[in-house]
Amino acid sequence: MTTDTLTWTDVCAVDDILPNTGVCALVADRHVGVFRLGADQFFAIDNVDPKSGASVLARGLLGSLGDRVVVASPLYKNHFDLRTGECLEAPEQSVRAHGVRIDSGRVRVALA
């Protein structure tokens, strides 16, 4: 599927997400964590921590492990790759990664 055939949902203005933080958005009834790394890198993954079932990943700490950009769950500290959604400590608890694009200063997300 190409990016032209995806359904893009407007989430917020770029400036609504501070650099190196995340926010939670409801996209087609799905909780999605949208993260801004630095000034111009954006990522989106499911926001629900699979171990607890709580919608908290957007509140996690951003960082890197090797060459991977990750968020650490605020509950169990598992690390989720922001590009793929893979849980580094327990791959069976991975989440979905979603498409993100910036259009006219707005953050838009397309569910995977």
Side-chain angles (χ1 to χ4, degrees):
M1 194 177 280
T2 68
T3 58
D4 292 334
T5 61
L6 295 174
T7 300
W8 293 92
T9 301
D10 184 77
V11 171
C12 63
V14 166
D15 292 337
D16 289 341
I17 308 175
L18 296 174
N20 304 314
T21 66
V23 298
C24 182
L26 190 61
V27 179
D29 294 325
R30 187 175 200 95
H31 290 219
V32 175
V34 182
F35 301 89
R36 181 177 184 181
L37 188 64
D40 60 357
Q41 286 187 310
F42 291 84
F43 303 93
I45 61 172
D46 286 344
N47 195 50
V48 176
D49 181 313
K51 191 167 182 179
S52 69
S55 186
V56 296
L57 294 182
R59 297 184 204 161
L61 295 175
L62 295 176
S64 60
L65 291 174
D67 61 347
R68 296 178 120 176
V69 179
V70 298
V71 61
S73 171
L75 297 177
Y76 293 102
K77 310 307 182 225
N78 286 350
H79 296 92
F80 295 88
D81 186 311
L82 292 179
R83 290 183 179 94
T84 65
E86 180 183 4
C87 178
L88 304 186
E89 291 79 12
E92 69 278 4
Q93 293 180 7
S94 296
V95 298
R96 282 179 171 176
H98 305 289
V100 181
R101 73 178 182 190
I102 306 304
D103 185 20
S104 300
R106 303 289 300 174
V107 179
R108 300 185 192 284
V109 172
L111 297 180

